[in-house]
Amino acid sequence: MRMSAHRLESGGRIDRGRPLAFAFDGRRYEGFAGDTLASALLANGVRILGRSFKLHRPRGILGAWGEEPNAIVQIGTGETTVPNLKATQVELAEALEARSVNCWPSARSDVFAFLKMFGPLMPAGFYYKTFKWPSWHWFEPTVRRAAGLGVAPTGADPDRYEERHEHCDVLVVGAGPAGLAAALAATRAGARTVLADDRPVLGGALQWEEKTVDERPALEWVGEVEGELRAASNARVLTRTTAFGCYDHHLVALAERFGEQTARPIRERLWHVRAEQVVLATGAIERQLVFPDNDVPGVMLASAARNYAVQYAVRPGRRAVLVTSTDSGYDAAESLKPRGIAIEAIVDTRMDPGEVAARARRAGFAVRAGYVPVRVHGTRAVRAIDIQPLAETLRAHSTGSLLRLECDLVCVSGGWTPSVHLFSQARGQLRYDAERAAFVPGSGPKGFQCAGSAAGQFALRECLTDGFAAGRKAAKATGARSDAGISPIAAPERTAVAPFWAAPRHDHRKAWVDLQNDVTRADLELAARENLRSVEHVKRYTTTGMAVDQGKTSNMNALGILSDLTKTPIPQIGTTTFRPPYDPVTLGTLAARHVGPLYRPLRRTPLDSQHSDQGACFEDFGGWRRAAWYTSHGQSREECIRAEKRAARGAVSLFDGSPLGKIEVRGPDAAVFLNRMYCNSMKTLPVGRVRYGIMLSEHGVILDDGVCLRLAEDHFLVSTTSGGADRIFSGFEEWLQCEWPDLRVLATNVTCAWGNIAIAGPRARELLSLLSTDVDLDPKAFPHLSVRCGRLENVPARIARVGFTGELSFEINVAAGYTAALWERLLERGAPLGVRPIGIEALQDLRTEKGYLHVGTDTDGRTLPTDIGMGEALAKKSEDFVGRRSLERAEAKRPDRLQLVGLSADDPGTVLPVGAHVVADPKARLGSQGYVTSSCMSEALGRTVALGLVQGGRSRHGESVAIYCNGRLWPAHIVSPQWYDPKGERLNA
Amino acid sequence: MLRISCPWCGPRDEPEFRWGGEVPVLRPGPPEAVSDSAWAQYLFVRDNPKGWVRERWVHAFGCRQWLIVVRNTVTHEIRATARLTEPLPEVTP
């Protein structure tokens, strides 16, 4: 196979025996297992990976991991595509398809590139100032297309995501030297330890820093530690796992990825880790240097260049100039030179870098101390860099002592920013450390420690000892008592840094602060000139530090520049708030298994398969999968529902009422308790009888309705609406436990323990008498609104003479497991009688024509019992009940309250639309006096019927009104809501 | 996400619980002796302090018992939990 010119002949932790073919922007390339997409593209000589957000300037790779601001790609196609990934974090896989974003047709040749000519016209706040007339929404679609990132998947994600809960003693985040040392100490001490790292391999920077630990190559040490941790029964090692959020009470959220391989059982996994102690060994991120044209492809973080050369055996350039304000920047020169990358010069912005420069000069490097970069030559790739002594640069437009250095790679090292994101999310306080030119962790929340470079300890020696000590301390705090042994050690290093927030302004050239959002130093200057003082405001005005990289390489520079501009010390400027996620997380991971049918699993009644067999059309009613109606051969939906209604009025019908709430209330004080819960009296209910009742909130508003059955002196069965069972039962518990603990009452929700079949119709008794039962069905012995416990077909049953249709009806409760057999027997025996199952649709029409209200449909969040005609029942009751005092307010007694009435369209064929308003002034179509709540065609009455809530409606029966909806008016009359069988003769049959 | 120590079941995650508001809230009565303002006070007016607050929670997806939680509304720290049958814990700022 042909070796790419940019790939080193040997070395690197890539598997040269496993070549992988992939595509970027439609072109085919080859890389190796162990590559990232970024390293593979660099190895193939691809330098332009994206276009900048606003101005579409060509952009290359700056970093090597999550800090990358430029190389944003879209992976895959169709339903499984993932937008806005950083190429530096994408593991190369066979047949990987990647595309650049925010450009068309490709990053190489982008038609929007002309936008960069308008750069001077697009300063900070450009959108706010420009697109405000007539309205932002007028411009939004175009702007979004020109300045955007990836695209959403085309359909529902077919992949599987999981979530797991984990409890541990010590969670160590980050498996660099500090994290490995911490995990080692905690595990050896005997603590249950979880170590999580977002990279595919452990070791962090040890993968490319070529250092020694305990006097042997660092990677050997990493391998040993990994082996020990993986073998330990009290440790769990998670790679490819990003800790992205710290939440209250030591909850840390992790996102585990399973790579881009095709055969994966799950794609990503969300971990909820509850850790007693957390050690944050999250490392530090190198900063970009701010100087003119520092965004040209070929300008790269020194640590990234080193990472590519050592770990991936990729030459990011042939001739490099290293620009640094730190000692650690020099290390890159030492790694690059032996790999065939010529070091043209080391440019140190410090006047006197001291020993580190002397040593570099001894090693043969050309060191230019006290120089600053003033421009970069080249637009699509670096060709050269101009540097100048700092004193000259301070004189604007001076070309004195200008030095041009030919190169194709500029390595920059602007110091290190500890990754304190998680620490800060956990409410840890940050402290500005002037010596390190960075915010470091200050006083922390209980149980949180930062270790290693996350704590500002940038040398390996301190990372190891600091990490080990943190792990030991954390384990001890959880009670672990074993001996952790001694800490690994490494040689001392120099890590001095002098802050260099930006090269002095020299000419008109743009110096880029935030590459991802195209924010320049001039934008920050504008924000300061316009008197934006709070760093939070500056962030939002200029967009610095936003989007997928969240300013990991740029925030600190922005703060330093702001500090200079506003003459305010950095600690007083402070940082913007760190919020989760640390790194973007897919929605699939956050949703985990809670999607599709598992999002909110529908509850099924014991008759679910019977309904299916009978051709039911199911719908979701209050979380239950219920039969809306039953299909019949060759009949339309309307015809089916009409036939069901005819069966109920003319013969006999069966309805599955199993979801009806059933709460058993027992105890010596059961009657007293229920008397307080219902607004009408329940104390006076005789044993064996049933009463319709209404429950209120303390605001007096109707909460629920249903029948209450008294089975014994101290035993009631409360029936609630299907959607109200859980709510009402929870309310019972709250009142009993919190307000009236003296009442000797036990309430139990038995909704799912009992099935419920309602037999309704003039032939209901006839059907029931075809079954064997010891209950006397004679109307004199078993009148309307009574309940009998007995046996039906030799099965214990509770039979009540109640219903929701207005016909002679029996509601039968049997144990859930017997319900299906009973249903089938009733259908079989009832066939000669014309029995028919009816669904919710038919039932709704039957109850509407009977004038039975449905709570939540015919009542709203203001309806009081007096508004629906319960005034008399209330007046008879002397005791207190929930909501009673609220009914005494003046508001509750206003005569013009919305009250339940019937609404009769003058044209008996007009079905008044639900939601249509009763208008006070039909000519102007103004002034709502109420609205239609239920409406249907009544099969029994041969005309349409409707219910509604109308101002003062109960005293307006007979009045003519106009109903208005969507530009149409209908004449109608207010009538009694009892349309069908107002005397209740059929009910009492 | 809070971790609440149920006095009956031990430490459990917040999604198992439901919040029930500040305590104590005394229900005034009998209704005919309660003024409109006293009733409104009971229904709507709460201290809502910045700092320590006593509130009641129910372990809805557990033992279904109501309990008292002493929680800091600034730091979300939970200092104590107690059964309803125990004396109400004191709160001092």
Side-chain angles (χ1 to χ4, degrees):
Chain A
M1 194 190 74
R2 188 182 60 89
M3 185 65 74
S4 141
H6 307 272
R7 181 79 77 179
L8 297 167
E9 296 298 323
S10 63
R13 274 162 284 289
I14 47 170
D15 185 350
R16 288 167 202 262
R18 279 177 61 206
L20 301 170
F22 70 100
F24 176 70
D25 275 348
R27 291 174 175 242
R28 305 267 142 209
Y29 300 101
E30 205 162 78
F32 293 115
D35 261 328
T36 62
L37 177 60
S39 71
L41 285 171
L42 279 176
N44 282 280
V46 178
R47 289 291 180 269
I48 300 172
L49 268 76
R51 292 279 167 164
S52 72
F53 193 67
K54 277 200 296 198
L55 301 177
H56 290 253
R57 287 169 68 101
R59 291 281 164 80
I61 292 169
L62 181 79
W65 192 247
E67 73 278 11
E68 174 59 39
N70 292 332
I72 299 169
V73 294
Q74 177 119 14
I75 298 296
T77 52
E79 296 165 339
T80 57
T81 186
V82 185
N84 305 340
L85 290 173
K86 287 160 255 177
T88 48
Q89 285 175 302
V90 174
E91 281 181 67
L92 200 65
E94 181 62 29
L96 183 83
E97 295 257 358
R99 269 160 296 123
S100 50
V101 300
N102 197 34
C103 48
W104 189 85
S106 72
R108 289 155 55 97
S109 51
D110 170 30
V111 298
F112 283 106
F114 71 90
L115 275 172
K116 71 181 172 204
M117 295 191 292
F118 297 99
L121 301 176
M122 292 165 75
F126 169 68
Y127 294 152
Y128 304 134
K129 290 167 181 166
T130 310
F131 298 121
K132 61 184 183 185
W133 189 91
S135 155
W136 159 248
H137 302 290
W138 204 76
F139 301 98
E140 189 176 3
T142 315
V143 173
R144 290 267 183 257
R145 206 170 309 127
L149 293 172
V151 297
T154 53
D157 190 336
D159 280 329
R160 180 167 165 154
Y161 298 78
E162 293 274 357
E163 65 181 328
R164 263 187 84 154
H165 291 258
E166 174 85 345
H167 296 262
C168 66
D169 295 328
V170 180
L171 169 67
V172 180
V173 179
L180 283 172
L184 192 63
T187 305
R188 284 183 181 167
R192 285 180 306 149
T193 305
V194 173
L195 172 66
D197 191 280
D198 58 354
R199 297 175 191 261
V201 290
L202 302 184
L206 295 179
Q207 285 289 341
W208 66 86
E209 283 187 346
E210 303 180 280
K211 290 182 178 169
T212 55
V213 176
D214 287 344
E215 296 177 341
R216 62 211 144 108
L219 285 180
E220 249 176 54
W221 176 78
V222 171
E224 267 171 43
V225 174
E226 179 169 8
E228 183 173 339
L229 293 175
R230 290 203 187 270
S233 59
N234 60 331
R236 183 196 288 283
V237 178
L238 297 169
T239 52
R240 299 187 174 94
T241 303
T242 309
F244 65 84
C246 272
Y247 303 88
D248 286 316
H249 297 186
H250 291 202
L251 180 78
V252 183
L254 319 177
E256 183 183 14
R257 302 177 304 279
F258 289 82
E260 285 299 319
Q261 67 264 31
T262 41
R264 58 192 166 201
I266 49 177
R267 186 159 174 178
E268 292 180 26
R269 177 154 54 197
L270 178 67
W271 289 78
H272 309 253
V273 180
R274 196 70 87 157
E276 273 197 51
Q277 294 282 317
V278 181
V279 177
L280 297 170
T282 41
I285 289 169
E286 195 164 31
R287 290 195 285 269
Q288 159 78 305
L289 281 169
V290 179
F291 58 87
D293 305 320
N294 59 340
D295 71 327
V296 176
V299 176
M300 186 181 277
L301 296 178
S303 57
R306 211 172 159 200
N307 193 342
Y308 288 117
V310 179
Q311 186 177 357
Y312 303 107
V314 171
R315 235 180 248 120
R318 294 259 169 206
R319 285 171 88 181
V321 169
L322 186 85
V323 187
T324 182
S325 62
T326 68
D327 286 359
S328 64
Y330 287 73
D331 296 343
E334 285 170 35
S335 288
L336 298 180
K337 193 180 168 190
R339 290 179 170 80
I341 299 155
I343 307 296
E344 194 66 20
I346 298 175
V347 180
D348 198 321
T349 61
R350 299 172 291 184
M351 292 310 288
D352 182 18
E355 170 60 24
V356 70
R359 211 178 62 199
R361 286 193 180 104
R362 283 199 298 276
F365 291 108
V367 178
R368 298 277 179 180
Y371 276 74
V372 294
V374 292
R375 77 169 285 188
V376 172
H377 295 272
T379 50
R380 296 171 66 86
V382 171
R383 291 202 321 271
I385 181 168
D386 288 349
I387 60 168
Q388 204 175 30
L390 179 62
E392 286 291 336
T393 313
L394 289 172
R395 289 191 283 159
H397 300 285
S398 156
T399 51
S401 324
L402 203 64
L403 201 63
R404 172 181 285 211
L405 302 169
E406 304 287 331
C407 60
D408 61 356
L409 176 67
V410 175
C411 298
V412 292
S413 177
W416 294 87
T417 305
S419 293
V420 293
H421 306 69
L422 296 173
F423 180 78
S424 185
Q425 286 174 25
R427 294 163 184 257
Q429 299 296 310
L430 301 179
R431 176 174 63 79
Y432 184 70
D433 185 323
E435 195 187 323
R436 294 177 167 88
F439 280 95
V440 296
S443 66
K446 230 166 38 186
F448 277 83
Q449 298 178 76
C450 288
S453 48
Q457 304 290 349
F458 299 132
L460 176 58
R461 186 184 174 90
E462 281 73 35
C463 281
L464 291 169
T465 51
D466 197 34
F468 199 81
R472 179 151 53 189
K473 186 177 160 197
K476 200 170 170 195
T478 67
R481 288 288 172 267
S482 303
D483 181 16
I486 54 161
S487 168
I489 55 159
E493 297 161 69
R494 292 176 182 277
T495 58
V497 55
F500 181 82
W501 305 124
R505 180 182 260 290
H506 183 67
D507 55 18
H508 66 280
R509 296 191 168 274
K510 283 179 184 295
W512 303 86
V513 179
D514 184 317
L515 294 174
Q516 185 157 112
N517 294 296
D518 274 350
V519 181
T520 63
R521 180 181 48 194
D523 292 322
L524 293 173
E525 285 167 357
L526 180 68
R529 273 206 308 282
E530 294 183 352
N531 206 27
L532 290 151
R533 295 282 135 170
S534 158
V535 64
E536 299 282 6
H537 291 161
V538 172
K539 170 177 174 170
R540 282 151 187 81
Y541 191 57
T542 62
T543 69
T544 190
M546 289 192 175
V548 297
D549 70 333
Q550 287 287 297
K552 290 188 175 69
T553 53
S554 62
N555 280 346
M556 202 55 229
N557 289 332
L559 293 179
I561 292 168
L562 266 182
S563 166
D564 287 346
L565 289 171
T566 59
K567 307 279 179 278
T568 312
I570 287 178
Q572 280 173 39
I573 289 187
T575 64
T576 51
T577 308
F578 292 95
R579 294 192 180 87
Y582 165 74
D583 213 20
V585 180
T586 62
L587 293 175
T589 305
L590 297 176
R593 297 297 300 281
H594 307 280
V595 291
L598 295 179
Y599 176 65
R600 190 184 69 157
L602 273 181
R603 304 168 80 178
R604 290 160 189 258
T605 82
L607 299 175
D608 194 74
S609 61
Q610 277 68 30
H611 298 322
S612 289
D613 293 347
Q614 280 140 19
C617 285
F618 289 103
E619 279 176 33
D620 172 358
F621 292 97
W624 288 86
R625 190 173 109 109
R626 304 187 71 173
W629 79 91
Y630 298 85
T631 53
S632 248
H633 287 297
Q635 288 191 307
S636 69
R637 174 184 181 277
E638 302 310 319
E639 286 166 341
C640 291
I641 295 169
R642 287 175 66 187
E644 289 173 24
K645 291 194 274 188
R646 279 198 301 272
R649 294 279 182 239
V652 60
S653 65
L654 298 183
F655 176 76
D656 179 7
S658 301
L660 276 177
K662 305 167 203 79
I663 304 168
E664 298 228 14
V665 180
R666 305 186 82 148
D669 295 321
V672 174
F673 171 64
L674 289 178
N675 209 47
R676 292 179 188 174
M677 297 312 299
Y678 283 101
C679 72
N680 46 329
S681 181
M682 285 300 163
K683 225 169 61 174
T684 54
L685 180 65
V687 174
R689 297 293 300 196
V690 176
R691 187 171 288 163
Y692 174 75
I694 284 183
M695 289 185 238
L696 313 180
S697 71
E698 278 283 57
H699 304 100
V701 171
I702 295 174
L703 209 56
D704 206 67
D705 71 343
V707 292
C708 180
L709 298 71
R710 191 164 198 172
L711 304 176
E713 236 359 89
D714 61 350
H715 188 186
F716 292 80
L717 181 62
V718 169
S719 177
T720 74
T721 57
S722 302
D726 293 341
R727 191 160 35 89
I728 297 301
F729 174 61
S730 296
F732 280 11
E733 287 183 314
E734 183 169 6
W735 284 106
L736 284 170
Q737 290 180 38
C738 300
E739 193 64 35
W740 304 310
D742 55 310
L743 293 184
R744 292 159 301 164
V745 176
L746 181 70
T748 314
N749 186 355
V750 296
T751 300
C752 295
W754 296 82
N756 176 298
I757 299 171
I759 308 174
R763 304 183 83 171
R765 185 180 291 112
E766 206 180 332
L767 170 56
L768 200 51
S769 61
L770 295 174
L771 274 60
S772 72
T773 179
D774 55 359
V775 174
D776 185 354
L777 300 176
D778 184 85
K780 289 198 189 70
F782 191 2
H784 180 54
L785 290 177
S786 51
V787 57
R788 299 289 177 266
C789 297
R791 299 186 84 82
L792 185 63
E793 293 288 280
N794 216 20
V795 164
R798 290 168 174 172
I799 306 175
R801 273 202 60 186
V802 291
F804 205 36
T805 61
E807 295 296 331
L808 166 66
S809 53
F810 298 87
E811 275 191 11
I812 304 168
N813 285 337
V814 292
Y818 289 127
T819 318
L822 179 61
W823 176 268
E824 281 172 1
R825 190 149 305 175
L826 285 165
L827 280 176
E828 176 199 314
R829 299 283 168 83
L833 306 179
V835 73
R836 193 172 178 127
I838 65 169
I840 298 269
E841 295 290 348
L843 187 79
Q844 286 292 358
D845 290 358
L846 294 169
R847 68 94 194 159
T848 300
E849 67 191 15
K850 177 65 185 169
Y852 286 157
L853 69 91
H854 184 233
V855 172
T857 301
D858 303 298
T859 67
D860 63 20
R862 295 165 300 175
T863 309
L864 307 179
T866 39
D867 300 332
I868 59 158
M870 289 289 284
E872 247 174 74
L874 290 175
K876 276 194 239 160
K877 186 166 175 177
S878 57
E879 301 91 351
D880 191 14
F881 54 84
V882 174
R884 171 154 212 162
R885 180 60 186 81
S886 291
L887 302 178
E888 299 303 320
R889 294 167 305 138
E891 175 65 27
K893 298 185 167 173
R894 277 171 53 167
D896 62 344
R897 293 188 56 82
L898 293 180
Q899 295 171 334
L900 184 70
V901 293
L903 289 168
S904 170
D906 289 357
D907 166 23
T910 296
V911 178
L912 296 170
V914 169
H917 283 265
V918 175
V919 281
D921 179 353
K923 276 209 180 99
R925 302 174 172 191
L926 284 173
S928 173
Q929 296 186 337
Y931 56 95
V932 178
T933 56
S934 294
S935 182
C936 67
M937 169 60 77
S938 167
E939 191 68 14
L941 300 173
R943 60 149 301 144
T944 63
V945 297
L947 302 176
L949 288 168
V950 177
Q951 280 177 4
R954 291 178 55 76
S955 55
R956 290 171 65 182
H957 290 188
E959 200 177 300
S960 101
V961 289
I963 312 276
Y964 172 82
C965 181
N966 282 344
R968 293 188 62 189
L969 275 173
W970 295 274
H973 280 78
I974 297 177
V975 295
S976 157
Q978 277 87 38
W979 290 87
Y980 177 78
D981 185 29
K983 294 198 177 110
E985 282 154 357
R986 302 178 70 90
L987 205 63
N988 287 302
Chain B
M1 195 198 325
L2 303 182
R3 202 182 192 201
I4 300 169
S5 193
C6 171
W8 305 90
C9 309
R12 294 289 189 275
D13 279 352
E14 186 182 340
E16 292 187 18
F17 296 84
R18 206 179 60 238
W19 182 78
E22 269 173 44
V23 289
V25 176
L26 297 177
R27 185 172 192 259
E32 55 278 12
V34 181
S35 67
D36 277 358
S37 65
W39 189 247
Q41 189 81 16
Y42 158 68
L43 285 181
F44 305 113
V45 182
R46 299 293 180 268
D47 287 345
N48 193 24
K50 181 180 177 182
W52 291 103
V53 63
R54 292 174 296 184
E55 47 196 25
R56 73 186 185 209
W57 291 68
V58 63
H59 194 189
F61 294 91
C63 61
R64 293 197 70 90
Q65 292 298 303
W66 283 85
L67 53 135
I68 303 296
V69 174
V70 183
R71 183 176 68 97
N72 190 304
T73 54
V74 179
T75 64
H76 289 183
E77 188 189 337
I78 291 176
R79 199 161 63 189
T81 56
R83 301 176 184 190
L84 290 178
T85 49
E86 294 173 287
L88 196 60
E90 289 300 315
V91 277
T92 41

